[in-house]
Amino acid sequence: MFRVVLVFSLLFSIFFSSSSAQTCAKYRFPKNQVFSSCNDLPYLNSFVHWNYEKSSGSLQIAYRQTGVAPSTWSAWAINPTGSGMVGAQALVAYQQSNGTMRVYTSQITGYKTNMGEGKLKFDVSNLEATHANSETIIYATLALPNDSSTASINQVWQMGPVSNGNPGAHSFAAANTNAMGTLNLLSGQTATTTGGGSSRSKDKNIHGVLNVVSWGILMPIGVIIARYLRVFKSADPAWFYLHVTCQTSAYIIGVSGWATGLKLGNDSAGVQYTKHRTLGILLFILATLQVFALLLRPNKDHKYRFYWNIYHHSVGYSVILLSIINIFLGFEILMPEKKWKNAYIAIIVFLVLNAVWLEAYTWYVVLKRRRSQSAEKTLQGVNGRNGANGYGSRTPQYV
């Protein structure tokens, strides 16, 4: 069992590490805009796409932020005078109460700024913004000085609440205060002011690997073991111990992944994946109830065993279904390469096909066994009647 866990963990570690770098490159914009370069920023679920002409200094930018609630503002900025917030030349956008987008430029002159509208130190054109599917995108074309100093820029990105129709102060969680760094427009390389970016990406990978392997693979395998191996008398009680080992391993690994997800959520103030988070919490509750139910399992001949079986099976199948749904929600958030999502689909199809033929075969075995037992009872009944009427018990006499 532990070898199985190790193999699947290795497989999906490769998957998440390789897909992480492709997150922004594979994105398709609503209007099919094409950008030659992109970068997955380490904080606040943000991405920056751009086209840069060094000769003219023209920078065409698209800044994306996912998991954004309608009452949240998003901003991306260049700071030509330093690496922090003060002096940043910002592009700000948020959805207004009437559903339309407000997008404007703002010079950040202090830490208590209200992000009022103002002209930047460089010209900005084609400024627009969209908000759909919990994602805000800001588009703009910036006219930067066409000298070598602009090849590497200081960037700042941020998000915060909208209060009474105006941007409010952003959170001071680590993800918000670390959302700054440098961006080389030619090479595409980025660097943050702290080393936390790689740590956060690692946490995302760990969260994905643990949950796919546990909830998405080991849990279904454990259910298949319990449902089909128990039919074969030779597999008793081995099937039970295999089932318990598989589900216990899945629960321990899954809880670790769940805890990692909570940490990611707490470190990303303002970023909301409500469905994914809610399902994750619900899965933890149901799986924990299953663990306690195992400790309270009645004996086979107990009068409440029938009701316990109904509870155990219904909750177990619900956990499997919700797990798979939540994993696909995770795929939508992480946006890995399509081939890796297809790989998981192939695993699920493989498990389903095995479940289908095992369902048919075990029913065949059960029905055949019932017919055999019925025939034996009939034969025993005939023999019993013959013995009762005085003939069946006699010893044959040979002449």
Side-chain angles (χ1 to χ4, degrees):
M1 181 57 62
F2 290 104
R3 289 181 179 178
V4 173
V5 174
L6 181 61
V7 170
F8 281 122
S9 297
L10 179 61
L11 172 64
F12 283 92
S13 294
I14 296 172
F15 148 47
F16 279 101
S17 60
S18 62
S19 64
S20 177
Q22 300 295 331
T23 301
C24 68
K26 297 296 181 180
Y27 183 81
R28 292 186 179 181
F29 284 89
K31 297 181 181 179
N32 296 320
Q33 300 97 320
V34 177
F35 295 88
S36 60
S37 303
C38 67
N39 205 283
D40 184 346
L41 299 176
Y43 301 103
L44 304 179
N45 295 320
S46 300
F47 313 86
V48 59
H49 305 248
W50 72 93
N51 294 320
Y52 178 58
E53 295 181 3
K54 184 178 180 180
S55 59
S56 63
S58 176
L59 175 62
Q60 184 183 10
I61 198 85
Y63 170 71
R64 294 194 298 119
Q65 197 165 55
T66 62
V68 179
S71 58
T72 302
W73 57 263
S74 300
W76 181 85
I78 293 177
N79 192 333
T81 60
S83 59
M85 174 180 170
V86 178
Q89 310 293 296
L91 310 176
V92 186
Y94 59 89
Q95 189 176 44
Q96 301 180 102
S97 58
N98 60 6
T100 61
M101 292 296 294
R102 185 189 179 196
V103 55
Y104 62 93
T105 58
S106 177
Q107 284 202 48
I108 310 302
T109 57
Y111 288 103
K112 294 184 178 181
T113 179
N114 59 3
M115 298 185 70
E117 186 170 353
K119 190 174 181 180
L120 304 187
K121 293 183 178 180
F122 42 78
D123 292 334
V124 178
S125 59
N126 303 319
L127 182 61
E128 60 178 305
T130 62
H131 180 84
N133 300 319
S134 300
E135 179 180 68
T136 294
I137 307 178
I138 302 175
Y139 302 93
T141 301
L142 313 180
L144 303 180
N146 56 344
D147 55 48
S148 59
S149 64
T150 60
S152 181
I153 60 174
N154 297 314
Q155 63 172 339
V156 183
W157 63 99
Q158 197 54 259
M159 67 187 307
V162 175
S163 178
N164 297 322
N166 295 303
H170 65 74
S171 168
F172 287 92
N176 296 82
T177 57
N178 291 334
M180 62 184 73
T182 61
L183 171 64
N184 191 301
L185 299 175
L186 299 178
S187 67
Q189 292 182 341
T190 60
T192 57
T193 55
T194 68
S198 59
S199 176
R200 178 170 172 77
S201 297
K202 183 179 179 180
D203 287 344
K204 286 183 179 180
N205 294 343
I206 292 173
H207 173 69
V209 170
L210 293 178
N211 287 296
V212 169
V213 171
S214 58
W215 306 107
I217 298 177
L218 287 180
M219 280 280 185
I221 290 175
V223 170
I224 290 174
I225 289 173
R227 180 164 179 81
Y228 302 116
L229 287 188
R230 67 188 302 172
V231 173
F232 304 98
K233 295 180 179 179
S234 60
D236 192 20
W239 72 264
F240 176 75
Y241 295 112
L242 284 173
H243 172 67
V244 171
T245 301
C246 194
Q247 302 306 75
T248 303
S249 300
Y251 178 75
I252 293 172
I253 297 170
V255 170
S256 300
W258 175 76
T260 307
L262 290 182
K263 180 179 181 300
L264 285 169
N266 293 333
D267 290 344
S268 305
V271 179
Q272 298 182 14
Y273 295 113
T274 305
K275 290 182 180 179
H276 187 65
R277 184 182 179 91
T278 302
L279 281 179
I281 294 173
L282 179 60
L283 281 170
F284 170 75
I285 293 172
L286 292 176
T288 302
L289 288 175
Q290 285 287 71
V291 172
F292 284 107
L294 182 64
L295 300 176
L296 301 174
R297 182 170 62 107
N299 294 327
K300 290 183 179 180
D301 56 351
H302 196 280
K303 64 179 181 179
Y304 292 125
R305 181 59 181 262
F306 173 75
Y307 303 103
W308 184 91
N309 285 339
I310 293 176
Y311 159 80
H312 185 63
H313 295 162
S314 59
V315 173
Y317 287 124
S318 298
V319 168
I320 299 300
L321 179 61
L322 293 176
S323 297
I324 294 173
I325 292 173
N326 212 28
I327 285 171
F328 279 102
L329 289 176
F331 278 126
E332 292 180 5
I333 294 170
L334 192 59
M335 292 186 296
E337 286 186 89
K338 190 175 181 180
K339 65 180 181 179
W340 297 111
K341 183 178 180 180
N342 290 340
Y344 180 66
I345 293 174
I347 292 173
I348 295 301
V349 171
F350 174 77
L351 293 176
V352 169
L353 290 177
N354 276 277
V356 169
W357 83 261
L358 283 171
E359 185 77 22
Y361 181 71
T362 51
W363 269 109
Y364 166 77
V365 171
V366 169
L367 293 176
K368 183 179 179 180
R369 186 180 298 160
R370 287 177 180 176
R371 285 195 297 267
S372 177
Q373 292 173 348
S374 177
E376 288 179 5
K377 289 180 179 180
T378 301
L379 182 59
Q380 291 172 0
V382 170
N383 291 337
R385 286 193 299 273
N386 289 339
N389 62 22
Y391 295 98
S393 62
R394 290 183 176 181
T395 302
Q397 299 294 320
Y398 297 98
V399 181

